[in-house]
Amino acid sequence: MVQNKVFMYKSVPDGWPVPGKDLTVEDIGFDEAAPPPKGGFTTKNLYATYDPSQRGRMRHETVKSYSPAMAVGKPVVSVHVLGKVLKSDTPKIKEGSTVLMMSHYTEEYSAVPESAVKSTQVIEPKPGVPLTAYLGLMGMTGMTAYGSLHEIGQPKRGDVILVSAAAGAVGQAVGQIARQEGLHVIGSVGDDKKLDFIINELGFSSGFNYKKENISDAVKRLAPDGIDIYYDNVGGELLDVALANMKDFGRIVACGTISTYNDGSNSTRYGVQNYSAVVRKRLRWQGFIVYDPTIIRWKKERDEKVAQWIADGSFKSVDYVTHGMDHAVEGFLGMLKGENLGKSILKVADSES
Amino acid sequence: MVQNKVFMYKSVPDGWPVPGKDLTVEDIGFDEAAPPPKGGFTTKNLYATYDPSQRGRMRHETVKSYSPAMAVGKPVVSVHVLGKVLKSDTPKIKEGSTVLMMSHYTEEYSAVPESAVKSTQVIEPKPGVPLTAYLGLMGMTGMTAYGSLHEIGQPKRGDVILVSAAAGAVGQAVGQIARQEGLHVIGSVGDDKKLDFIINELGFSSGFNYKKENISDAVKRLAPDGIDIYYDNVGGELLDVALANMKDFGRIVACGTISTYNDGSNSTRYGVQNYSAVVRKRLRWQGFIVYDPTIIRWKKERDEKVAQWIADGSFKSVDYVTHGMDHAVEGFLGMLKGENLGKSILKVADSES
Ligand SMILES: NC(=O)c1ccc[n+]([C@@H]2O[C@H](COP(=O)([O-])OP(=O)(O)OC[C@H]3O[C@@H](n4cnc5c(N)ncnc54)[C@H](OP(=O)(O)O)[C@@H]3O)[C@@H](O)[C@H]2O)c1
Ligand SMILES: NC(=O)c1ccc[n+]([C@@H]2O[C@H](COP(=O)([O-])OP(=O)(O)OC[C@H]3O[C@@H](n4cnc5c(N)ncnc54)[C@H](OP(=O)(O)O)[C@@H]3O)[C@@H](O)[C@H]2O)c1
């Protein structure tokens, strides 16, 4: 038996998750000598992603939503876990290969059953594309950004787009794609370091720190003629301000409402007041989940374009890495607090060998 | 000179319009002997429509919106005025014919300039279709209902549709079209007489009185499996409840937000809290104005189908008539208060001769 630390989900948080109570790190052990599951394989894991949607799955099982509630007493489910294959009982997955597992436990070692082989992707990195990009721009996050921006946002060269949580995983991908396609890109962030980052590193046209400047003033200052596309990751007050500043026939891509995710059962929620603009300005406000067929159908185009943009240097794959399973809880809470620049990743093992 | 009473717009209301101050009836006189304007015509008017959008146009000219602010000191502009032509200086409009004028002053007599000839429609009622239907189902109201329900609502046989302000002009049209196309139609109204009317006269599947029953309980009771289409005329709390009860991939047709139209400059507005459902349930929430090309393109189909449904008796053209210009202000306020069953109309002249 070797040590197998896992990021454990102990109880349903009410509001902000409490470390040590709702979330812990525990060693459940792993038998390296055991054969792989029949038709399956075993891995030593390298990376796991942190995603805000994990918070949504930490709920009572009776509350319905698009993705199932996580099971209390089991490890936290990550959207992607990247691992090296130790042993395999399936010809589809070779020993020594690098695999990307979907909706997988956050753990150091995995015994993966045959049923999960179908959703496992063998990664052969394209030249110039780092392995971690497959957790972000080339993974679910990039798919989210690319698919929804095109499917719902209908971007045209010269359009003005406002992106919220602009330095986050999805936000920086949306902003870079939009910049690449000739849009005027404005980012909203909650930190001056992030503001500097999106403008000077990612090439956004402009941005503002919503914690420092009045949001309405900032949007009017940066988009005096209004907004064609609002890419909404946060909901709340910025959504209201965006509604008030949309141009006629504008599109709101409803990707997430992260400002509401840690509302406890007793907290009062922000109410959006400017919804009359939907009629008056003929807005189209539409939600999606990355696994919807209308979003996934952009995959081939995303795979090609984004890989090329990363490889030719015009696109940054930005990772924000938490080192080691011992820090898994902090890393998760850090992402919920918005400490990350770009994609939040947990580096499960300290070495990739 | 003959008497020519007009429904006069005196000043911009703050909140609820004040009779005698913001709105009056005045005699501005009309010279029957005068020739028609060059290239234009004169009319004695029979009917004018009341529409909630008139309230939106009673605003300061500096506030931008899709339709221009009304000019203070001029008669109130009605969406449609139906008149008999007295004299004509254009071959397109014959003396004695019945004409429907768009965005026209609410007055007993009109001198219509050449510039308005293009937007004037000569009415030759189809058999079985009453003249007043051209102010409602066969006019702008019916176009609103038919175009938006199909363009945005994408109704399919068996879908569950919730219609707000269901006994109003647009609501009763939407409900009847939906019923005719095999949907399960639920109406929300603010009055028991209206409830009886939509179910027993218009053939809605069910309905509730939002002033008597808790809205959320009512919607869950009548649509236990959720709503495919919410046709929103009112905004406010019902919109919030609808969001909470939409099915995945549901559509919200944003037609109006009448509950907000008389918000004064100091009143607090209702804030919609359940907007996270747009993401989670992948809703499409879209606004329109009846004059948008995507709505107008349904005109030919509307003209044929609705005329046929009225003529064969399966569809009711419902009018709520205020008699005489002296009651113009009351009639308008009555519509804003929601006293009308069906389309609100002002009968300008007491006789049609
Ligand atoms: N629909 C889909 O299929 C789909 C797929 C993936 C992600 N999403 C959603 O997309 C959004 C972004 O995800 P992500 O992966 O980019 O997350 P991320 O990298 O963790 O970024 C989230 C950012 O949101 C901001 N934030 C956190 N709490 C906030 C609050 N209370 N109010 C306002 N901003 C707050 C923070 O940035 P600042 O410091 O700048 O505030 C934070 O860095 C989330 O809402 C997520 O649920 C949706
Ligand atoms: N987008 C477009 O192009 C377009 C075109 C035409 C109309 N519209 C909009 O469609 C809506 C309906 O118009 P309509 O011509 O059918 O009007 P209508 O016949 O005057 O009906 C309006 C009904 O709304 C209800 N109502 C009034 N005040 C309310 C309040 N504060 N809260 C909730 N309900 C209230 C009343 O019914 P209850 O007694 O049942 O409450 C009233 O009878 C309006 O919002 C209008 O602006 C939009």
Side-chain angles (χ1 to χ4, degrees), chain B residues 301-339:
Chain B
E301 191 176 312
R302 185 281 306 259
D303 287 351
E304 288 167 13
K305 291 226 170 130
V306 174
Q308 185 202 312
W309 290 335
I310 294 175
D312 75 16
S314 53
F315 214 109
K316 297 223 166 94
S317 170
V318 192
D319 311 319
Y320 188 84
V321 183
T322 297
H323 290 269
M325 189 60 86
D326 286 335
H327 302 284
V329 181
E330 293 161 52
F332 180 68
L333 295 178
M335 173 211 55
L336 289 183
K337 275 187 212 128
E339 287 167 359

Side-chain angles (χ1 to χ4, degrees), chain A residues 27-252:
Chain A
D27 181 3
I28 61 169
F30 182 78
D31 182 1
E32 279 188 310
K38 193 174 168 307
F41 59 95
T42 58
T43 59
K44 179 169 194 322
N45 298 324
L46 305 176
Y47 295 98
T49 54
Y50 288 124
D51 291 271
S53 60
Q54 292 176 295
R55 177 64 188 84
R57 299 184 60 180
M58 294 174 184
R59 63 175 193 274
H60 291 284
E61 292 182 25
T62 49
V63 181
K64 268 178 54 181
S65 192
Y66 57 92
S67 57
M70 288 187 200
V72 164
K74 296 278 179 188
V76 167
V77 176
S78 290
V79 171
H80 290 311
V81 173
L82 191 96
K84 273 250 186 270
V85 176
L86 298 174
K87 298 179 185 170
S88 177
D89 185 46
T90 164
K92 295 187 187 123
I93 310 260
K94 292 208 176 59
E95 285 174 18
S97 64
T98 304
V99 289
L100 191 66
M101 296 169 287
M102 292 281 299
S103 294
H104 193 78
Y105 288 143
T106 314
E107 55 194 1
E108 289 186 294
Y109 289 90
S110 302
V112 183
E114 184 172 14
S115 59
V117 169
K118 218 180 124 212
S119 67
T120 300
Q121 190 187 338
V122 177
I123 300 289
E124 278 156 28
K126 304 200 186 193
V129 178
L131 201 56
T132 52
Y134 291 87
L135 298 166
L137 292 172
M138 297 294 291
M140 193 274 281
T141 299
M143 194 61 247
T144 299
Y146 198 94
S148 63
L149 177 64
H150 289 96
E151 182 67 24
I152 302 173
Q154 302 175 330
K156 289 180 305 297
R157 188 166 287 277
D159 275 357
V160 175
I161 182 171
L162 172 64
V163 183
S164 57
V170 173
Q172 52 91 12
V174 170
Q176 291 191 83
I177 297 164
R179 180 210 64 202
Q180 202 69 11
E181 299 188 358
L183 280 75
H184 183 89
V185 188
I186 305 169
S188 162
V189 292
D191 181 288
D192 283 345
K193 212 172 61 200
K194 293 184 180 181
L195 187 55
D196 178 72
F197 168 72
I198 60 170
I199 295 176
N200 296 316
E201 300 282 318
L202 304 184
F204 279 49
S205 314
S206 67
F208 62 96
N209 178 343
Y210 69 86
K211 289 182 182 158
K212 283 201 163 170
E213 188 176 358
N214 173 285
I215 300 182
S216 176
D217 293 347
V219 172
K220 282 189 203 312
R221 177 170 65 78
L222 300 176
D225 299 326
I227 303 164
D228 295 287
I229 305 172
Y230 173 49
Y231 196 96
D232 188 17
N233 286 312
V234 303
E237 191 191 343
L238 183 52
L239 172 57
D240 232 349
V241 169
L243 280 163
N245 288 280
M246 295 301 289
K247 290 191 202 172
D248 285 355
F249 301 102
R251 287 81 66 199
I252 298 180

Side-chain angles (χ1 to χ4, degrees), chain A residues 51-53 140-141 144 165 168-171 188-191 194 210-211 233-234 254-259 261 288-290 335-340 342-343, chain B residues 279:
Chain A
D51 291 271
S53 60
M140 193 274 281
T141 299
T144 299
V170 173
S188 162
V189 292
D191 181 288
K194 293 184 180 181
Y210 69 86
K211 289 182 182 158
N233 286 312
V234 303
C255 177
T257 59
I258 200 167
S259 71
Y261 295 171
F288 71 97
I289 301 299
V290 56
M335 173 211 55
L336 289 183
K337 275 187 212 127
E339 288 168 358
N340 54 306
K343 182 71 197 167
Chain B
V279 185

